[in-house]
Amino acid sequence: MMATETATNTIIHEAEKFGANNYHPLPVVLVKGEGVWVWDAEGKKFMDMLSSYSALNQGHRHPVIIKALIDQTEKITLTSRAFHNEVLGRFMKKLCEATGYEKFLPMNTGAEAVETAIKAARKWGYKKKNVEADKAEIIVLENNFHGRTTAIVGFSTEEQYKDGFGPFAPGFKVVPFNDADALEKAITPNTVGFLFEPLQGEGGVLVSEEGYIKKAYEICKKNNVLFIADEIQTGFARTGKMFCTDHEGVRPDIIIVGKALGGGVYPVSGILTDDKIMDVFTPGDHGSTFGGNPLAAAVAEAAIDVIVNEKLAERASEMGKYFVDRLNALNSPHVKEVRGKGLLIGVEIKKESGVARPFCEALMENGILAKETHHQVIRFAPPLVISKEEIDWAIERIDTVLNKK
Ligand SMILES: *Cc1c(COP(=O)(O)O)cnc(C)c1O
């Protein structure tokens, strides 16, 4: 036992000594994962309630996805877009058919896909809306999280994300969340897009007020402004529908996807849109060396198959309701609110009970890996393949931490 504990400390020490100090992970070293479960270097088993920020909707090492990965590695893994590969077209057809869009542009990480959406919206503005050169504006929301590039952190409202990284790109306007009038007032003839998260995950699992997304959509339509949903975290069944915007029955002009599209094994992202927007791109306008590579395409194709064939949206909806009901029934004196959609759930800790981090550390001691977001909120977002019995297992331990601590 002592020897393995030392091994854990050595591993953590090594990561800290040679790595940049840009994360504050819980002190656990994961060596194996399967479904909703992960194991540490000492053989201890935990339930993964973070799912790598919803990149693991299909669970750890889903056999269908792993098989696609292995099969493709035995053929070809990288071609660049200088040549065609046999998988990309087939994958994009499947993705477009599963989501109802005409076109897809593949990237790797979420932030790159957001940058792609920004480029598409601006170019559309100049080519199709006749906005004067370099005057395009994009409206974003307070408390947004869209990634970590310099352009993206430039329109963040989180001081730490920006501090020391300026100067920032112009062309973005921030309006409050859930305030349709503020959105309408911010629109000018130069506004090309409204970029938003339908549920703000990193912002603290903030659910939009009912009707807000629909109203915002109508305002954008009326003013010829592209409605651009960042569904990197909320997409692919996480909130109980294929996309979170489906809850209000709207179809965004552009949907930004990432995370679970890679099935928890490989980074795959991109934008979904229609011809009339995608056709602003011509050869040489935009690209990525790894974007759309055959390994990524094979993995993403399998990732979509799992979401569709295993009905993960219905499952997230059903299990999410059950989980929230059971969390509410705990009646913890420390909890201010339980909120969320599907299996993207936030438990807000009362200020007088302190911040969320010590609760996450206690959960870890009890076999549950969850991470705080925005100081006061514990996020519970397990893989969507979680069963009722596994939720019951988790509730027992969450009860121990929230009621007996
Ligand atoms: C995670 C996330 C991103 C950034 O994705 P990366 O792959 O980390 O670059 C962007 N938008 C939202 C809503 C996210 O949750």
Side-chain angles (χ1 to χ4, degrees), residues 240-311:
K241 300 262 187 198
M242 187 60 146
F243 292 114
C244 191
T245 38
D246 293 341
H247 286 286
E248 294 207 18
V250 299
R251 182 179 182 274
D253 297 298
I254 300 176
I255 294 193
I256 308 169
V257 292
K259 293 200 168 122
L261 183 57
V265 306
Y266 197 91
V268 190
S269 72
I271 66 165
L272 280 160
T273 185
D274 294 321
D275 250 325
K276 63 180 196 294
I277 294 163
M278 201 68 100
D279 71 6
V280 301
F281 288 120
T282 59
D285 280 353
H286 187 49
S288 159
T289 304
F290 276 82
N293 74 70
L295 190 58
V299 162
E301 189 183 27
I304 295 161
D305 279 341
V306 172
I307 291 160
V308 173
N309 296 342
E310 298 190 9
K311 298 192 168 55

Side-chain angles (χ1 to χ4, degrees), residues 206-221:
L206 304 175
V207 183
S208 63
E209 277 166 23
E210 205 175 322
Y212 169 69
I213 298 293
K214 185 134 213 258
K215 230 187 249 168
Y217 175 79
E218 280 155 10
I219 290 165
C220 288
K221 286 295 108 182

Side-chain angles (χ1 to χ4, degrees), residues 5 30 45-46 72 78 100 107 120 132 141 165-166 175 225 240 287 300 305 309 341 359 362 366 372 381 392 400-401:
E5 264 173 45
L30 302 179
K45 178 171 136 173
F46 300 86
Q72 191 58 43
L78 184 61
M107 288 280 135
E132 197 187 323
L141 292 174
F165 300 128
V175 298
V225 167
D305 279 341
N309 296 342
K341 265 203 170 102
F359 288 92
N366 283 276
E372 77 280 8
D392 292 340
T400 302
V401 170

Side-chain angles (χ1 to χ4, degrees), residues 53 108-112 114 145-148 197 199 201-202 230-234 259:
Y53 307 93
N108 313 283
T109 65
E112 283 176 303
V114 172
F145 182 82
H146 296 288
R148 300 291 199 157
E197 300 153 86
L199 185 163
E202 297 314 297
D230 180 345
E231 296 248 16
I232 292 169
Q233 185 161 160
T234 52
K259 293 200 168 122

Side-chain angles (χ1 to χ4, degrees), residues 46-69:
F46 300 86
M47 187 180 285
D48 183 355
M49 279 282 181
L50 180 63
S51 305
S52 293
Y53 307 93
S54 297
L56 281 157
N57 287 359
Q58 302 89 342
H60 287 269
R61 295 190 309 118
H62 192 292
V64 170
I65 300 169
I66 295 298
K67 181 173 189 312
L69 175 88

Side-chain angles (χ1 to χ4, degrees), residues 139 179-185 187 194 212-225 227:
I139 299 172
D179 186 344
D181 290 340
L183 168 64
E184 188 149 36
K185 283 201 193 95
I187 292 174
F194 169 51
Y212 169 69
I213 298 293
K214 185 134 213 258
K215 230 187 249 168
Y217 175 79
E218 280 155 10
I219 290 165
C220 288
K221 286 295 108 182
K222 196 171 76 188
N223 291 280
N224 195 23
V225 167
F227 192 69

